[in-house]
Amino acid sequence: MNRHFTIAIKSMNKNRITFYTTILLLISGILGCGTSKKEKREIAVDTAKVYLTNTACADAISVLEDAGRDQKDAKYLQTLASAYACRGGYSALTFYGVNLPKISVTQEQIFGSLTMFSTSGMIDPEDADYNDLLLAINILAYAGDVSAPTVAARAEVFSANEAGDINLQNLYMLFTILGKYLFYYGNSDPSTGTKGGGTAANGNPNGFSNGCFYDYNPSNATLKALIDVARASGTLGSCTSTATGSPKLQALPNANTVKRMCQGVVLLNIFIDILSNTTLPDDSAMDSVGEVKSLFNALCSDGIYSAYVGDLCNMRSQISCETNYATAPESDKLEAYFFIMFETLFN
């Protein structure tokens, strides 16, 4: 009896979603040519939200894209980002209910804890879920058709409430995509969040053996000496003197490596920008992550490697990063950034 009742309820819910979607689409059809672009987007947003309640991600994307993008319509952009994130396997409910509680309360373990998210598994640099989530993040990062994807730039386009909602939605997706990035290139053990500890037995299927993100070999002799000493000190977890880098981050200059390293730089910088300039919810996990901004700023401006990072700590454009840091001596800055950020904050 209970089983049949549950099946009946599920069927009713599905039928209700189909009914509501049909009504919204009929309204859209009836209004037809007499409907303004704004009204079409509003109908599309309402329809997409119904689709998203049933995880019909592709349908939500289709109806939103058909309505035409408006870079200054906050509700439309947030729903569009949600639709692409949905297709990438992201769910706000999963983030809050399953993954947020896993975030460590110590600075040294925050990055490792992100790799323990249920959504962090990734098996290819061009992973479809990763790319969909990256697209969703960029939709919100460039909301308002801003030239620089910063909190300050978006604040000039949207109301305080709209900008705040955009920033927080993007922050939660950034947590998730950084978990994927760190898991993959850091060869993480997803059960403990340990860098360099990934094996098939503990749930990391990639078969990598790297203990560092990259095989650091900058052209600047002083920078190389600093990195070699740090690796020999044993303070960077698995990134020791004998550890190798990710096989998917081959030695620079290499177009794929530049693209992938720049993704890490840009994602982390956008993440820090939001952390530094947005009011966060009153949550203990958020409080601990908020402290990362102080460490980040210290590493960028006052640390012993800061002179070698250049302006990469302010780089938030993938295109500009790939264009400007592809070859030595500028590529040394990519190595310095990766070493002080990813090896130091994830050990």
Side-chain angles (χ1 to χ4, degrees):
M1 177 67 75
N2 289 339
R3 177 174 176 273
H4 293 306
F5 179 76
T6 301
I7 293 173
I9 290 298
K10 288 182 177 178
S11 178
M12 289 171 61
N13 289 337
K14 184 175 181 180
N15 289 337
R16 187 180 298 117
I17 290 169
T18 303
F19 173 75
Y20 288 151
T21 303
T22 302
I23 292 298
L24 288 168
L25 291 173
L26 284 173
I27 291 172
S28 178
I30 291 170
L31 290 174
C33 297
T35 307
S36 70
K37 291 182 178 179
K38 180 180 179 181
E39 289 170 329
K40 287 180 179 178
R41 282 194 305 275
E42 290 174 349
I43 292 170
V45 167
D46 289 339
T47 305
K49 287 181 177 178
V50 175
Y51 279 133
L52 290 174
T53 61
N54 200 36
T55 325
C57 316
D59 290 329
I61 292 170
S62 179
V63 72
L64 288 164
E65 294 287 22
D66 286 347
R69 292 195 186 190
D70 183 340
Q71 293 294 340
K72 297 184 180 180
D73 185 330
K75 289 183 179 179
Y76 171 86
L77 292 172
Q78 285 190 265
T79 309
L80 183 63
S82 293
Y84 278 108
C86 168
R87 195 174 72 178
Y90 172 85
S91 162
L93 290 176
T94 299
F95 174 76
Y96 277 108
V98 177
N99 292 331
L100 181 60
K102 294 180 180 180
I103 297 177
S104 172
V105 296
T106 64
Q107 289 181 345
E108 295 79 8
Q109 297 177 346
I110 284 175
F111 276 13
S113 69
L114 301 187
T115 69
M116 298 168 65
F117 281 11
S118 64
T119 50
S120 291
M122 181 164 140
I123 58 173
D124 189 271
E126 297 301 324
D127 181 87
D129 287 351
Y130 174 89
N131 283 333
D132 274 332
L133 192 53
L134 182 61
L135 176 56
I137 286 166
N138 282 329
I139 287 171
L140 295 186
Y142 286 92
D145 202 23
V146 297
S147 57
T150 64
V151 170
R154 291 188 295 273
E156 294 182 2
V157 179
F158 299 103
S159 70
N161 287 338
E162 288 174 335
D165 289 344
I166 287 171
N167 293 334
L168 285 178
Q169 181 180 351
N170 217 9
L171 181 64
Y172 302 148
M173 293 192 296
L174 282 159
F175 275 117
T176 303
I177 201 168
L178 283 170
K180 291 177 178 291
Y181 190 92
L182 295 162
F183 171 90
Y184 187 72
Y185 295 107
N187 186 28
S188 177
D189 176 344
S191 62
T192 62
T194 303
K195 180 177 65 180
T199 65
N202 59 41
N204 187 323
N206 291 307
F208 298 156
S209 60
N210 59 292
C212 303
F213 281 83
Y214 181 75
D215 280 322
Y216 301 95
N217 188 32
S219 62
N220 184 293
T222 304
L223 174 60
K224 186 178 187 309
L226 287 171
I227 290 174
D228 289 347
V229 169
R231 292 178 66 175
S233 71
T235 60
L236 300 172
S238 62
C239 190
T240 63
S241 297
T242 58
T244 58
S246 170
K248 298 301 182 179
L249 294 177
Q250 292 295 306
L252 294 166
N254 178 289
N256 283 330
T257 298
V258 172
K259 173 187 174 182
R260 294 163 188 171
M261 291 180 83
C262 281
Q263 283 181 352
V265 170
V266 169
L267 287 169
L268 183 54
N269 287 348
I270 291 175
F271 177 78
I272 295 296
D273 177 52
I274 294 177
L275 279 180
S276 301
N277 298 289
T278 303
T279 302
L280 302 177
D282 186 14
D283 183 280
S284 58
M286 289 295 181
D287 290 341
S288 64
V289 174
E291 295 175 4
V292 173
K293 64 187 178 185
S294 299
L295 182 57
F296 176 92
N297 292 332
L299 289 170
C300 279
S301 59
D302 303 323
I304 61 174
Y305 304 97
S306 58
Y308 305 98
V309 175
D311 58 0
L312 265 180
C313 289
N314 296 313
M315 176 57 65
R316 300 182 184 91
S317 166
Q318 181 72 22
I319 294 174
S320 294
C321 183
E322 291 184 41
T323 300
N324 296 323
Y325 298 96
T327 57
E330 292 303 301
S331 58
D332 284 357
K333 297 174 182 177
L334 271 180
E335 294 196 41
Y337 182 101
F338 253 64
F339 191 75
I340 67 171
M341 295 303 167
F342 293 111
E343 304 295 0
T344 299
L345 294 177
F346 184 14
N347 58 46

